[in-house]
Amino acid sequence: MEIKVEIIKRETIKPSSPTPPHLRCFDLCLIDQLQPASFISLLLFYSNNTDHPPLTHVKSAEISHTLKASLSETLTRFYPLAGKVKDNVSIECSDDGADYLEVQVNCRLSDILEQPERKLLRRFLPKEIDSSCLLLVQASFFCCGGMAIGVRVSRRLADASTASMLIQAWAGTALGSGEAVLLPEFGVASRLPPRRELSATRSVNEKSAVSRRYVFDASKIATLKAKAASGSVPQPTRVEAVSALIWKCARTVSRPSKLVQIMNIRKRVVPPFPESSFGNLMCLFVAKTGDRETELQGLVIELRKGIEAFTENYASKFQGDEAFSVFGESYKEIDNLYAESIHFIGFSSWCRFPLYEADFGWGKPTWVTVGDLVHKNFIVLLDTRDGGGIEAWVTLSEEDMALFECDKELLEFASLNPRVKN
């Protein structure tokens, strides 16, 4: 059956209260300025389960009204997302609003979850019309009563932590528990001020790349962690073990000698930033290994060294000019990797963010996954619904993927695109 996604309505959701005049200009922080002109994309799928009133008995218009009203309230708290980029230094908080789409899908949610494909999943994300819009939302209603919420938020304002906080605040507002959720803290730019001399960032497009989904069950990760343990790292984390295995298997394909890890720095700097800090608070570190280092234990050690080196060398330098120097070096190293065509692989972990707690009033998500993936040689890690496993979206060139997806050691620990358990 051909799956059709029909747009029923498209509108702009404005904040429920106007932004006060003294907040109309929001300064980007230094790290915001360095982000590409693209979006973080997330998809949350909700089944028509038996623990809540069936969605088939509730008009989609009523559900959509709840989503829109709560989004409007949430935008008052996250007011920069309702504005427009003024220049490479600030956001004009003009209450222009977020783009909202309501669509109808002619299939059951179970048809999508049977074997999720990236090309099909993109259809549940809102398409960009106004290039200046910073937040886009799409509510997709399936004929079985299930639904999907697709969110795209500008990377100029949000990292994974900020995107997760936004979704939690929105869901809490819809559920009527908005007072219990974290409120964003907007003081990052005072400590990491923007630099007017920085040029605008460019968008990234990797049309030749393909993505595959791998799921590591909790029991397999336990075995993998035991295999990856060593005297130097006796207790590797889930993310370290899975990242090292993917790095190891990728080395047999494209031989990436360097691994670029995106790290949330809110709690890793001195003094720490509040957990609810709004914006991009992440840093890149590079783990390196020689051509002979192919053992899992050694790769985990290199990953741990990268984190420890960051803490030792940079944690106390996130103020003013020192911060500019730190990030200048970090991004210069990444630019050199691209310029010199050095094989490397990048990782971003969304694990431990409470995305599976996003209950808008009809239960928690059946499945949460990432949306668009455009970076070649890049991997995104997320929790599975039980919290113990990891879902990895791996994006490689077509040629490399043809070899990577057949790797026996990888398939010993991970399942290639299994059915999402409903």
Side-chain angles (χ1 to χ4, degrees):
M1 179 182 72
E2 180 184 0
I3 296 177
K4 296 181 180 180
V5 179
E6 179 185 2
I7 297 178
I8 305 299
K9 185 182 298 184
R10 185 167 203 148
E11 54 190 298
T12 299
I13 308 300
K14 295 181 179 291
S16 58
S17 301
T19 301
H22 69 283
L23 298 178
R24 288 278 171 152
C25 182
F26 177 80
D27 285 339
L28 297 171
C29 76
L30 172 65
I31 315 176
D32 293 331
Q33 289 185 286
L34 296 169
Q35 303 313 306
S38 59
F39 290 87
I40 285 179
S41 301
L42 269 174
L43 284 165
L44 298 91
F45 291 89
Y46 294 84
S47 299
N48 180 4
N49 58 56
T50 58
D51 296 331
H52 294 78
L55 294 181
T56 49
H57 294 168
V58 182
K59 295 180 180 179
S60 61
E62 294 177 0
I63 298 171
S64 195
H65 174 75
T66 298
L67 289 174
K68 290 186 290 186
S70 55
L71 178 59
S72 179
E73 288 186 48
T74 304
L75 283 174
T76 299
R77 299 168 178 169
F78 290 76
Y79 62 91
L81 291 174
K84 306 291 183 185
V85 176
K86 183 178 181 180
D87 46 39
N88 197 41
V89 178
S90 61
I91 301 294
E92 183 180 357
C93 302
S94 49
D95 296 333
D96 287 33
D99 204 5
Y100 180 91
L101 285 83
E102 180 183 334
V103 308
Q104 195 71 43
V105 188
N106 72 331
C107 71
R108 300 173 63 85
L109 175 56
S110 57
D111 297 330
I112 307 300
L113 303 184
E114 185 63 33
Q115 196 171 36
E117 294 293 341
R118 175 59 49 197
K119 184 177 180 181
L120 181 57
L121 293 178
R122 289 195 186 106
R123 302 181 68 181
F124 306 120
L125 288 170
K127 291 184 178 179
E128 180 184 0
I129 292 182
D130 182 354
S131 60
S132 64
C133 194
L134 300 176
L135 176 63
L136 303 93
V137 173
Q138 178 172 313
S140 302
F141 296 92
F142 296 87
C143 62
C144 62
M147 69 174 299
I149 298 176
V151 178
R152 300 179 74 200
V153 56
S154 173
R155 290 183 183 273
R156 301 304 304 276
L157 283 173
D159 59 7
S161 180
T162 297
S164 175
M165 181 170 56
L166 168 68
I167 290 171
Q168 287 303 307
W170 181 19
T173 302
L175 192 60
S177 59
E179 299 301 322
V181 300
L182 278 177
L183 296 179
E185 200 280 333
F186 295 109
V188 176
S190 63
R191 193 165 147 191
L192 297 174
R195 308 287 287 226
R196 292 193 175 276
E197 66 269 26
L198 288 180
S199 59
T201 54
R202 298 187 301 271
S203 60
V204 178
N205 188 12
E206 294 279 4
K207 291 184 178 179
S208 62
V210 295
S211 300
R212 296 286 186 268
R213 169 178 167 262
Y214 292 88
V215 176
F216 296 78
D217 291 333
S219 59
K220 295 288 183 133
I221 291 180
T223 303
L224 180 61
K225 287 171 62 176
K227 184 177 181 180
S230 65
S232 299
V233 185
Q235 293 183 320
T237 66
R238 291 183 308 148
V239 170
E240 286 174 334
V242 170
S243 299
L245 176 63
I246 293 175
W247 187 10
K248 182 178 187 293
C249 297
R251 283 174 59 81
T252 65
V253 175
S254 57
R255 303 195 64 76
S257 60
K258 298 185 178 182
L259 181 147
V260 178
Q261 177 71 56
I262 297 177
M263 178 172 55
N264 182 354
I265 63 171
R266 284 168 175 78
K267 295 302 181 184
R268 294 187 179 275
V269 297
V270 180
F273 286 95
E275 195 66 38
S276 59
S277 294
F278 178 93
N280 286 282
L281 275 172
M282 57 185 184
C283 191
L284 309 175
F285 74 82
V286 178
K288 307 173 184 179
T289 184
D291 290 338
R292 294 182 180 180
E293 180 57 80
T294 59
E295 292 302 317
L296 195 64
Q297 294 178 342
L299 298 178
V300 168
I301 291 171
E302 294 304 318
L303 280 172
R304 185 66 64 88
K305 282 182 180 178
I307 295 175
E308 291 174 346
F310 170 86
T311 302
E312 180 179 347
N313 298 326
Y314 302 120
S316 62
K317 297 181 179 180
F318 281 82
Q319 304 277 358
D321 290 337
E322 274 196 307
F324 180 70
S325 177
V326 169
F327 284 103
E329 292 177 11
S330 175
Y331 281 84
K332 183 178 180 180
E333 183 171 11
I334 303 303
D335 288 341
N336 288 339
L337 293 181
Y338 277 110
E340 298 170 12
S341 298
I342 295 174
H343 289 295
F344 68 95
I345 191 165
F347 282 81
S348 179
S349 172
W350 287 57
C351 294
R352 299 307 182 197
F353 290 123
L355 294 168
Y356 276 97
E357 299 299 314
D359 184 350
F360 288 82
W362 41 83
K364 296 179 181 180
T366 296
W367 185 40
V368 178
T369 191
V370 288
D372 289 336
L373 295 166
V374 296
H375 296 279
K376 186 172 67 176
N377 287 2
F378 202 78
I379 289 85
V380 179
L381 306 178
L382 304 97
D383 289 320
T384 52
R385 187 172 51 173
D386 62 11
I390 286 181
E391 176 178 295
W393 280 97
V394 181
T395 305
L396 301 171
S397 69
E398 294 183 9
E399 296 80 5
D400 288 347
M401 183 61 80
L403 298 173
F404 179 85
E405 63 186 1
C406 298
D407 190 284
K408 292 182 179 179
E409 186 174 12
L410 175 67
L411 297 177
E412 178 185 348
F413 293 98
S415 301
L416 174 59
N417 200 24
R419 177 178 63 87
V420 176
K421 298 176 182 179
N422 190 349

